[in-house]
């Protein structure tokens, strides 16, 4: 069963607008971590933001924030005031706690920022 | 602090050959994970090493193997290469293991199998 679902294969957004990238996850664990990564065309994966399952506040890092809705098992990434350099592939990932705690990635969303 | 480095960056091999990829983690990081990325399958977990021990392994055939050295540097080996092994191989390091350890990725090794 797919554990991380990113339903938007691609998105086009006007520069300076805010954008929300969707991510839903499936786990029976109470303790887990959620991550977002950005992958520009160069190929390198860049860590953006982390949310722990027990964190009560939504994580924020500069223009990035994570809209964490635990009951809905949703961890959407919000990018405020988008920039041309935000054009990239974005991956949502989850890591459970326990013996099988490998990180699982979603299929990704390709974001295009239009000038 | 230097980031994760991977060598070589590009590699072209033919079917049946074997290949060894290298990864040097960020200084102080003890966990190294390897991923295969292809357009069709996305990012797939290969294995994770911590303190020279393999902690987790993904669903890949035994042709894929790895190891970690005492300085945390890691290598992965693919034997008897197949066309389907063409991919971007990414290495990531983290301070430790567990749900709150974000991983930092290297630039990847792009392997092409002819």
């Amino acid at each position: 069963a797919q554990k991380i679902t990113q339903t938007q294969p691609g998105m086009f957004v006007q520069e300076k607008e805010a954008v929300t990238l969707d991510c839903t996850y499936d786990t029976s664990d109470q303790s887990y971590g959620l991550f977002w990564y950005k992958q520009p065309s160069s190929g390198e994966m860049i860590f953006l933001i982390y949310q722990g399952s027990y964190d009560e506040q939504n994580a924020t890092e500069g223009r990035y924030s994570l809209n964490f809705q635990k009951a809905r098992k949703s961890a959407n990434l919000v990018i405020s005031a988008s920039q041309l350099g935000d054009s990239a592939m974005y991956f949502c990932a989850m890591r459970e706690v326990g013996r099988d705690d490998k990180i699982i990635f979603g299929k990704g969303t390709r974001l295009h920022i239009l000038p | 602090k230097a980031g994760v480095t991977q060598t070589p960056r590009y590699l072209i091999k033919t079917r049946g050959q074997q290949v060894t990829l290298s990864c040097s983690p960020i200084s102080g990081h003890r966990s190294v994970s390897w991923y295969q990325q292809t357009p069709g399958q996305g990012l797939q977990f290969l294995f994770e090493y911590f303190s020279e021990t393999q902690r987790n392994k993904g669903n890949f055939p035994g042709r894929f193997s790895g190891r970690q050295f005492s300085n945390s540097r890691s290598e992965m080996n693919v034997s008897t290469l197949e066309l389907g092994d063409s991919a971007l191989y990414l290495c990531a390091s983290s301070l430790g293991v567990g749900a709150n350890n974000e991983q930092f990725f290297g630039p990847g090794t792009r392997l092409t199998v002819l």
Side-chain angles (χ1 to χ4, degrees), chain A residues 32-33 35 37 39 42-45 47 50 91 95-103 105 107, chain B residues 35 37 40-43 45 48 55-56 88 90 97-107:
Chain A
Y32 49 89
F35 307 84
Y37 287 86
Q39 188 177 41
S42 59
E44 187 164 353
M45 296 281 283
F47 166 73
Y50 162 80
F91 292 94
R95 185 165 192 165
E96 296 166 321
V97 172
R99 187 173 177 80
D100 186 16
D101 62 352
K102 57 183 179 287
I103 290 187
F105 285 81
K107 295 289 188 184
Chain B
Y35 298 87
Q37 187 177 26
Q41 299 297 320
L43 266 162
F45 171 80
E48 178 183 27
R55 293 189 69 250
N56 269 310
L88 179 66
L90 291 163
V97 297
N100 63 341
N101 279 272
E102 62 262 33
Q103 294 189 330
F104 296 89
F105 284 77

Side-chain angles (χ1 to χ4, degrees), chain B residues 29-73:
Chain B
H29 284 195
R30 296 171 64 191
S31 171
V32 173
S33 296
W34 288 89
Y35 298 87
Q36 181 196 67
Q37 187 177 26
T38 58
Q41 299 297 320
L43 266 162
Q44 292 188 286
F45 171 80
L46 279 158
F47 24 66
E48 178 183 27
Y49 288 88
F50 181 76
S51 293
E52 302 178 67
T53 301
Q54 188 179 89
R55 293 189 69 250
N56 269 310
K57 191 176 192 307
N59 295 324
F60 279 83
R63 300 185 296 107
F64 292 81
S65 63
R67 59 178 175 168
Q68 186 181 34
F69 303 96
S70 58
N71 62 357
S72 294
R73 191 178 70 85

Side-chain angles (χ1 to χ4, degrees), chain A residues 61-100:
Chain A
E61 289 286 349
R63 294 187 300 113
Y64 304 107
S65 61
L66 199 151
N67 184 359
F68 181 46
Q69 297 185 47
K70 192 170 182 176
R72 295 180 60 190
K73 294 187 177 177
S74 163
N76 298 341
L77 176 71
V78 180
I79 306 174
S80 63
S82 58
Q83 303 170 357
L84 295 178
D86 294 333
S87 294
M89 196 76 170
Y90 288 81
F91 292 94
C92 178
M94 176 179 68
R95 185 165 192 165
E96 296 166 321
V97 172
R99 187 173 177 80
D100 186 16

